[in-house]
Amino acid sequence: MTEDQLLGPRAHGEPCGQAVLKAVAEDFQVDEVLDIPLSGEGEHLWLWVEKRNLNTEEAARRLARAAGVPLRAISYAGQKDRQALTRQWFSLHLPGKADPDLAAAENDSLRLLRQMRHQRKLQRGAHSANGFTLRLTDLQADRQALEARLERIRQQGVPNYYGPQRFGYQGGNLAGAREHAERGELPESRNLRSRLLSAARSYLFNRILAERVAAGSWNRAQVGDLLAFTDSRSHFAAGEAECSDPRLAILDLHPTAALWGQGDSPATGATAMLERQVAEAEPALTAWLAQARLEHERRILRLPIGGLSWHYPEPDILQLEFVLPTGCFATAVVRELVSLAGQTDI
């Protein structure tokens, strides 16, 4: 499947040009933002790890082997891109054990930058945000149009699409989800089950968001919406008064769409009608997600871009720096700026 089939229409117009992303790992840098003070003591060893062209699961396996502990003793907050230079936290459960020698885990693709003890393990989703430094190389774009577009997305944000990475190479995870859904079966492997369920759920969300983008309602509240703050999983219903809440204008409060699970959408009005239409167009996927007993959740439609800045190290290179909430995709920002030359898996 193409990127446009997996995501949806752009909100701010056609790309301003084209560029290359990830020519080298250093062109896509990610730093976890973790606001947890570490105590310096406890049975969990926390590690600040730099990875180059290495996915999170393989890094965890390498740390487990070096420490001589089972893989289940390794925890991390979130998955990070493989084709990138990323820095993230891991924790090792070492009750009654001294700090292990982890030198065997290190090489050109993995470096240990810092380590400290703590009383608790690192939980999934514990980080508050991710900081990005992206370099778009071989840039061919109208500089004036690009500057105007950057200012616009700084003020308005971008549609909060799940990126193509979520769906696997050429949409393979979504294809696998469809196959299992048609059979009414859940994969036995926990990791595979999680990956395929996530792809199905993300695809349905993207379809709802695509309809809102096409209608021009992705970045404004309408009666019947469920509203949520940027960093909150809770939501509340939007009536006439809520649709005029000044926090919508400053990108602190946002309309949401369904992350499908058991039961009907709790939205009302036109929002509920749209979400039902998307669900009815994919009966196998929605029934499968309910079969897996996933709870109905919400995700914000609009992605605010924190601390966005940019400069041109060379005439044909654009460097971007910004911060995104957890679970959001930097590629959603890039696709509102330029198309990526010769790249389909980003």
Side-chain angles (χ1 to χ4, degrees):
M1 298 183 73
T2 67
E3 179 185 295
D4 286 344
Q5 289 173 316
L6 292 169
L7 279 69
R10 293 172 172 84
H12 298 300
E14 292 301 309
C16 299
Q18 69 175 27
V20 172
L21 179 61
K22 298 187 179 182
V24 295
E26 285 74 10
D27 290 344
F28 196 103
Q29 299 188 37
V30 189
D31 288 85
E32 276 185 351
V33 179
L34 190 71
D35 298 325
I36 299 176
L38 302 182
S39 65
E41 57 185 24
E43 61 185 35
H44 299 272
L45 178 64
W46 287 45
L47 307 171
W48 181 234
V49 175
E50 180 180 88
K51 308 188 285 72
R52 177 182 281 100
N53 292 327
L54 185 69
N55 68 35
T56 300
E57 291 179 353
E58 178 54 35
R61 285 191 288 269
R62 189 181 295 183
L63 291 170
R65 287 195 297 268
V69 299
L71 184 58
R72 64 178 179 273
I74 311 294
S75 301
Y76 47 84
Q79 298 272 2
K80 296 291 179 288
D81 295 77
R82 178 186 63 81
Q83 192 180 346
L85 178 64
T86 67
R87 286 168 284 270
Q88 72 176 115
W89 285 97
F90 292 79
S91 73
L92 284 64
H93 190 205
L94 301 169
K97 298 180 180 179
D99 291 359
D101 181 358
L102 298 172
E106 296 190 88
N107 60 15
D108 291 343
S109 62
L110 188 152
R111 289 198 307 141
L112 301 179
L113 304 179
R114 182 186 172 199
Q115 64 184 56
M116 185 175 290
R117 288 276 181 162
H118 193 53
Q119 292 96 338
R120 299 177 183 275
K121 78 172 187 178
L122 178 58
Q123 300 286 345
R124 289 292 181 99
H127 56 312
S128 59
N130 289 302
F132 293 88
T133 300
L134 308 186
R135 286 166 57 94
L136 297 168
T137 59
D138 294 336
L139 177 67
Q140 301 174 41
D142 182 309
R143 179 77 67 89
Q144 186 175 358
L146 193 57
E147 292 284 326
R149 182 68 56 83
L150 283 161
E151 288 291 352
R152 183 173 178 178
I153 67 172
R154 174 154 60 188
Q155 295 172 12
Q156 299 182 15
V158 300
N160 193 20
Y161 288 118
Y162 284 100
Q165 308 96 307
R166 177 58 58 95
F167 306 105
Y169 180 67
Q170 295 184 342
N173 289 342
L174 180 59
R178 290 193 184 282
E179 292 173 4
H180 283 81
E182 291 294 339
R183 297 196 301 267
E185 298 175 355
L186 292 168
E188 292 185 7
S189 164
R190 181 178 178 181
N191 285 342
L192 178 61
R193 181 169 65 250
S194 176
R195 187 163 66 247
L196 298 190
L197 288 170
S198 179
R201 213 178 193 195
S202 301
Y203 177 72
L204 294 174
F205 173 88
N206 278 5
R207 297 278 56 75
I208 298 168
L209 176 52
E211 293 292 336
R212 296 280 297 250
V213 172
S217 65
W218 66 279
N219 61 349
R220 58 178 174 82
Q222 58 190 23
V223 174
D225 269 336
L226 296 169
L227 306 181
F229 292 100
T230 301
D231 298 318
S232 174
R233 294 187 178 181
S234 62
H235 53 263
F236 59 93
E240 292 287 352
E242 288 77 13
C243 290
S244 300
D245 192 310
R247 293 171 292 187
L248 288 161
I250 61 172
L251 308 190
D252 190 26
L253 184 65
H254 314 275
T256 66
L259 292 175
W260 213 263
Q262 298 181 93
D264 295 329
S265 166
T268 59
T271 301
M273 184 180 301
L274 170 60
E275 295 184 0
R276 280 197 302 270
Q277 288 172 348
V278 170
E280 289 168 359
E282 296 284 355
L285 287 182
T286 52
W288 188 58
L289 291 168
Q291 176 189 345
R293 298 186 177 181
L294 294 179
E295 295 297 325
H296 186 105
E297 297 178 290
R298 308 295 293 183
R299 175 179 169 92
I300 58 176
L301 291 175
R302 181 174 58 179
L303 176 55
I305 306 164
L308 176 62
S309 64
W310 62 89
H311 69 281
Y312 301 87
E314 302 289 343
D316 64 344
I317 297 176
L318 170 62
Q319 181 164 315
L320 305 169
E321 297 182 8
F322 52 88
V323 177
L324 298 181
T326 58
C328 298
F329 289 77
T331 48
V333 180
V334 173
R335 78 187 297 263
E336 292 288 342
L337 297 172
V338 296
S339 60
L340 295 177
Q343 292 173 273
T344 57
D345 182 19
I346 57 174

